[in-house]
Amino acid sequence: MQSYPIDPPQRLLMGPGPINADPRVLRAMSAQLVGQYDPAMTAYMTETMELYRGVFRTANEATLLVDGTSRAGIEAALVSLIEPGDRVLVPIFGRFGHLLREIAERCGAEVHVVEREWGTVFIPAEIETAILSSKPKILAIVHGDTSTTLAQPLDEVGAICAKHGVLIYTDTTASLGGNEFETDAWGVDVATAGLQKCLAGPSGSAPITLSAAAVDVINRRKSIEAGIRSEGDAVLASPIRSNYFDLAMIMDYWGPKRLNHHTEATTMLYGARECARILIEEGIPEAIERHRLHGSAMVAGLVGLGFDLFGDQSVRMNNVVGVEIPSGIDGDGARATMLSDYGIEIGTSFGPLHGRVWRIGTMGYNARRDTVLTTLAALEQVLRRGGVAVTAGSGVGSALDFYGS
């Protein structure tokens, strides 16, 4: 079998993620490797920690990267926090709440669940009632769930958790960098993310930040593996149940001890550092406003094309919108046409929304005026060829009117 150099087709990724990476991130990732304890490398690690404190809006010392996709960050957080038998409360309003539930169960937690219909979110009082009923050690909740395109308001939830002695973990993979998120001001103990959405990078590195309270819980479970153990290091009979995702050792790797836990994914660190550097250079409020502007223009254009929007629009994420697929249109066939004829990818949906809703993203490097207008123009033609009566130019025109206003 003959193989050839990789030459991916040209695509405009306007689904719920991943998106096209910022060229500056790809350039950073082409840099040469250095040793994991080279002073240059440890300096990059330290710089990356400080940059992500700015992205997460936190002063947490324990702000670093977990090597792996965004799910690696989720699993590292939960397996390091949860001891078998701990009570964990998971409010579910979309697909990724179910993921948190499954990971917590695999960690041996006694999981309690409250659910909301997809397309809605919880009010703080509902979460507090569930906390009073289940008395959990940890509340695990998604901030922005791309499966429903909605963001769960958390500005009051952290204070509720603090009042009842509950740690709060949240998955911000889909929301961080494009929507307001305030780790410290909202009282969030642990938050994890990924690069492939609003942070404008590739999947493969999971930023994480941990409060002092969360670090204390994890460090009480610290057990250093035999091959790198020093005299006096902790050894527990029941350690954190993953070596790779053991945040107690990972924090020592990133910290002054420089514990030889793993070899850092150097190229991914270069990329993650550049994602954060670009965001901080732009300004977090400015990046959020850019996502709001272009996301809202996309919504205006979709409404102009006659789409019905899915879900509670008062809590829609800035960076992704769900629309009901028009009657008579083959949803998967139309998406395939968008890809084959125009090189544009939009998203399908999961579970109860599959075949009913498309998800269209405007995020990261693709949160731009030209991508919005190009996507709307192509979508109009696909709808017309599918037999949907659409006024010519209505989508692009509505978006341009929004920009003009």
Side-chain angles (χ1 to χ4, degrees):
M1 171 182 168
Q2 174 132 18
S3 61
Y4 300 93
I6 286 177
D7 185 24
Q10 291 295 311
R11 301 291 193 226
L12 177 58
L13 303 180
M14 299 298 285
I19 48 81
N20 300 90
D22 191 305
R24 291 171 289 182
V25 175
L26 298 179
R27 285 197 293 269
M29 294 179 70
S30 70
Q32 186 53 272
L33 306 185
V34 294
Q36 63 172 327
Y37 294 113
D38 188 297
M41 181 63 177
T42 55
Y44 290 146
M45 293 171 73
T46 301
E47 290 169 8
T48 300
M49 295 172 78
E50 184 59 28
L51 287 165
Y52 275 98
R53 290 183 190 110
V55 174
F56 279 112
R57 312 283 276 185
T58 184
N60 289 339
E61 181 179 355
T63 303
L64 43 96
L65 304 176
V66 175
D67 290 344
T69 65
S70 51
R71 190 170 300 203
I74 298 169
E75 190 142 340
L78 294 181
V79 76
S80 298
L81 288 168
I82 296 170
E83 293 188 67
D86 281 344
R87 290 184 183 181
V88 176
L89 173 63
V90 183
I92 297 174
F93 62 100
R95 177 214 165 164
F96 293 101
H98 287 288
L99 173 64
L100 299 189
R101 174 187 193 172
E102 173 160 330
I103 293 174
E105 287 175 342
R106 290 186 182 217
C107 293
E110 177 188 318
V111 180
H112 297 257
V113 166
V114 287
E115 293 196 52
R116 267 287 201 157
E117 180 184 359
W118 289 27
T120 68
V121 297
F122 295 90
I123 60 173
E126 290 175 302
I127 294 174
E128 184 164 27
T129 297
I131 287 173
L132 289 170
S133 172
S134 60
K135 297 180 173 56
K137 171 184 172 181
I138 298 160
L139 173 75
I141 190 167
V142 176
H143 179 229
D145 196 317
T146 50
S147 69
T148 66
T149 75
L150 305 187
Q152 170 63 50
L154 295 177
D155 52 324
E156 298 178 40
V157 176
I160 290 170
C161 287
K163 181 170 73 172
H164 298 291
V166 176
L167 289 175
I168 174 174
Y169 159 74
T170 186
D171 169 20
T172 69
T173 300
S175 54
L176 189 68
N179 303 267
E180 184 182 9
F181 186 79
E182 298 282 345
T183 300
D184 289 355
W186 293 356
V188 173
D189 288 295
V190 183
T192 64
L195 306 184
Q196 73 274 17
K197 313 268 187 180
C198 301
L199 272 64
S203 179
S205 184
I208 183 171
T209 188
L210 304 103
S211 71
V215 169
D216 183 57
V217 167
I218 292 167
N219 278 338
R220 288 203 299 268
R221 305 187 65 206
K222 182 184 290 190
S223 190
I224 305 300
E225 66 183 82
I228 55 175
R229 191 181 299 151
S230 299
E231 187 176 349
D233 280 344
V235 182
L236 301 184
S238 180
I240 291 169
R241 295 198 169 190
S242 169
N243 179 290
Y244 187 69
F245 293 136
D246 184 331
L247 284 174
M249 288 197 288
I250 292 172
M251 287 189 291
D252 275 348
Y253 176 68
W254 281 79
K257 288 181 70 173
R258 298 293 178 193
L259 183 76
N260 188 11
H261 173 259
H262 66 284
T263 301
E264 179 59 25
T266 309
T267 299
M268 284 308 308
L269 181 137
Y270 293 165
R273 178 183 176 277
E274 186 68 359
C275 288
R277 190 196 68 77
I278 291 168
L279 266 179
I280 296 300
E281 182 180 78
E282 179 180 9
I284 299 300
E286 289 77 11
I288 292 169
E289 173 57 23
R290 173 169 56 86
H291 282 84
R292 186 208 63 78
L293 171 68
H294 298 299
S296 297
M298 180 67 82
V299 169
L302 293 167
V303 171
L305 286 172
F307 282 103
D308 293 324
L309 305 179
F310 171 77
D312 181 352
Q313 294 301 293
S314 71
V315 289
R316 177 182 54 80
M317 284 190 284
N318 291 329
N319 52 298
V320 63
V321 59
V323 293
E324 302 276 355
I325 300 171
S327 177
I329 287 284
D330 172 6
D332 289 340
R335 288 179 59 247
T337 299
M338 284 283 286
L339 193 65
S340 62
D341 288 358
Y342 300 97
I344 299 174
E345 179 179 283
I346 62 173
T348 184
S349 294
F350 305 111
L353 303 184
H354 183 70
R356 173 187 159 192
V357 168
W358 285 330
R359 296 174 300 149
I360 300 173
T362 310
M363 66 182 88
Y365 183 66
N366 291 347
R368 309 192 312 263
R369 180 181 175 121
D370 63 303
T371 61
V372 170
L373 300 180
T374 300
T375 301
L376 290 168
L379 190 55
E380 177 189 324
Q381 298 308 314
V382 170
L383 292 176
R384 290 164 69 87
R385 294 220 169 238
V388 178
V390 179
T391 301
S394 57
V396 169
S398 296
L400 288 171
D401 288 344
F402 175 83
Y403 282 126
S405 68

